[in-house]
Amino acid sequence: QPSPPPPPESTVDWHADWDAIAECESGGNWHLDSTYDGGLQFHPDTWLAFGGGKYAAYAWQASRLEQIAIGEKVLAAYGPDAWPNCFVPLED
């Protein structure tokens, strides 16, 4: 009997309400400079690991749309647990 095929990579396609997440994480301040940066509160290492450096050295220096672009990459890799207290799915 042939072995079953390996399970597919995560097939869950998450969609986030980024403005709602930012409101929860940073009070909606996309330029918050703190231990975690920007509206989505990126750790600086996470920001750089997911390519944020092409936009700015720190997330708080990047635009809302640039932060969302990196947020999408983090979400694809880690799912909603990347924002354990603030993840808000986008309503269909």
Side-chain angles (χ1 to χ4, degrees), residues 3-18:
S3 60
E9 296 294 317
S10 174
T11 56
V12 176
D13 193 13
W14 294 103
H15 298 283
D17 184 336
W18 294 114

Side-chain angles (χ1 to χ4, degrees), residues 2-91:
S3 60
E9 296 294 317
S10 174
T11 56
V12 176
D13 193 13
W14 294 103
H15 298 283
D17 184 336
W18 294 114
D19 288 314
I21 293 170
E23 188 62 38
C24 174
E25 288 284 354
S26 64
N29 181 354
W30 290 92
H31 300 289
L32 182 64
D33 178 9
S34 189
T35 303
Y36 292 86
D37 294 324
L40 303 177
Q41 293 292 277
F42 290 101
H43 185 281
D45 292 342
T46 302
W47 174 252
L48 294 176
F50 282 87
K54 74 179 183 180
Y55 301 122
Y58 296 97
W60 66 269
Q61 297 169 320
S63 73
R64 173 184 167 272
L65 290 178
E66 290 165 345
Q67 291 180 48
I68 289 171
I70 300 304
E72 294 281 359
K73 292 180 179 185
V74 173
L75 181 60
Y78 292 110
D81 289 344
W83 295 272
N85 300 312
C86 290
F87 184 79
V88 180
L90 197 60
E91 296 298 322

